[in-house]
Amino acid sequence: MAAQVARPGSDGGDHFVYTLQNFIEDLPIQGLTILSRPADLSSIPVSSISAQELPLDAFVRENEIVLSTLISCWNDEELFQQFLRDIKRSKAAALVVCFRNNDYVPSQRVLDCAAEIGLPLLRIPWEIRFAEVIHFTLDQIHEKNIEGYKRVQEQLFNAYFTSQSLDDAAGILSRFFHVPVAIAGRSLDIKGRSGKVSLENAELLDIRINSFLWGHLYICQPEDCAPLLKETELLGKYIALPLSLWFNRENIESMTVLKLKNDFVWNLANQNYTSFQEMM
């Protein structure tokens, strides 16, 4: 069974993206070894982790770490290599294997295959429970995710307090999610946008504080990307509040203009002006 976490990025770089290098450095177990590695593990993002066995079918997600015992492949080099190719074809981040016999070592042909296709191949001791690795990794991905949301919240607050527009706010979010973004009012009227936004294919998220709806957020997610609806709690906690400030300011400005108009009409009706200059 796979576990997926949505993958926002970070404005100005991938500092808040959990990587394979983070996984290797943070995993609190003894005996993890790297059997095959590309040049830069820190450039490989990790968005999910799952345990998989043959047949693989289509259960592996992009940027996913795959855990497997590969029991059916130990004595079959061709099957082992085909499994590696299938994992790579699925755009997985890495394959982490364990063998019942801790002295077992994959053949050189298998290791050469992993190196040739650029698939990171890691090994952990048989005694390590996959459930513990999955739980730990998902927690780490979530924490890294929260760091990114906190950073984008700071940027949104800064944009608001420096009198930037909702177009600027949409730009911050577009760089964070790496997709076009539009910000709309309660009646779905566009207030700000960044990039070419296809409203028909965009994911629509509420900008809501408690039970009050301030507006909506259009996020143009790629077809193969996990829905951000799974991130509703983080969106509400870190993004809805700063965005609501723009709508609140707009409401105050509208109310101020309306009050000035009402005062003008009332004074005009009651002949409170003594000259044209005073009326203006």
Side-chain angles (χ1 to χ4, degrees):
M1 177 182 291
Q4 174 75 22
V5 176
R7 288 306 314 140
S10 61
D11 187 12
D14 291 329
H15 179 66
F16 300 109
V17 174
Y18 192 73
T19 69
L20 188 58
Q21 185 69 41
N22 296 137
F23 171 80
I24 293 171
E25 292 176 351
D26 298 342
L27 194 63
I29 66 171
Q30 298 293 324
L32 184 147
T33 57
I34 302 175
L35 302 178
S36 176
R37 60 176 296 165
D40 185 10
L41 296 174
S42 65
S43 66
I44 302 175
V46 174
S47 60
S48 61
I49 183 168
S50 69
Q52 305 280 354
E53 301 293 345
L54 291 172
L56 196 60
D57 295 328
F59 297 127
V60 178
R61 296 184 175 95
E62 184 174 355
N63 299 331
E64 181 168 84
I65 292 176
V66 176
L67 307 174
S68 183
T69 63
L70 292 178
I71 291 178
S72 57
C73 299
W74 291 6
N75 299 313
D76 191 331
E77 285 189 350
E78 294 300 326
L79 188 59
F80 204 144
Q81 292 179 69
Q82 184 58 50
F83 188 83
L84 296 179
R85 294 189 186 95
D86 290 342
I87 293 289
K88 181 63 178 180
R89 191 176 301 112
S90 300
K91 300 181 180 180
L95 174 62
V96 180
V97 297
C98 67
F99 306 112
R100 185 184 297 275
N101 180 0
N102 284 327
D103 294 328
Y104 172 83
V105 178
S107 70
Q108 191 59 47
R109 285 184 60 196
V110 168
L111 298 180
D112 288 345
C113 176
E116 180 182 344
I117 63 178
L119 176 67
L121 182 60
L122 285 65
R123 176 176 181 168
I124 60 176
W126 178 263
E127 296 76 19
I128 302 300
R129 297 177 59 189
F130 281 177
E132 294 175 355
V133 176
I134 290 174
H135 179 75
F136 173 83
T137 305
L138 290 180
D139 280 349
Q140 294 298 107
I141 293 172
H142 184 66
E143 287 300 316
K144 187 68 76 170
N145 212 7
I146 289 177
E147 288 183 39
Y149 274 99
K150 286 180 178 178
R151 173 61 177 159
V152 81
Q153 183 187 60
E154 292 176 5
Q155 293 172 346
L156 289 171
F157 277 132
N158 181 67
Y160 174 78
F161 289 117
T162 55
S163 300
Q164 296 183 45
S165 69
L166 278 173
D167 282 332
D168 296 314
I172 292 171
L173 294 174
S174 179
R175 291 188 293 274
F176 179 59
F177 292 115
H178 303 297
V179 293
V181 168
I183 301 169
R186 284 196 294 261
S187 59
L188 299 181
D189 51 316
I190 301 300
K191 303 287 187 179
R193 70 171 71 215
S194 179
K196 187 175 181 180
V197 181
S198 175
L199 302 183
E200 296 78 10
N201 300 322
E203 190 173 0
L204 183 62
L205 303 170
D206 291 342
I207 301 171
R208 187 183 297 273
I209 303 296
N210 296 326
S211 59
F212 188 83
L213 178 66
W214 288 96
H216 304 278
L217 187 63
Y218 287 101
I219 300 179
C220 295
Q221 287 286 82
E223 292 182 2
D224 59 348
C225 188
L228 282 170
L229 287 172
K230 293 185 177 183
E231 296 295 316
T232 300
E233 181 181 353
L234 293 178
L235 286 165
K237 184 174 183 180
Y238 295 105
I239 291 179
L241 178 58
L243 289 182
S244 71
L245 296 178
W246 271 277
F247 291 103
N248 186 53
R249 181 170 64 188
E250 186 179 82
N251 288 345
I252 292 174
E253 291 172 350
S254 298
M255 291 173 64
T256 301
V257 171
L258 181 61
K259 184 177 185 304
L260 291 173
K261 287 181 179 179
N262 290 339
D263 289 348
F264 175 79
V265 172
W266 190 89
N267 287 323
L268 192 63
N270 288 275
Q271 300 181 351
N272 289 339
Y273 298 115
T274 59
S275 66
F276 179 77
Q277 287 77 11
E278 182 182 355
M279 182 176 65
M280 296 304 293

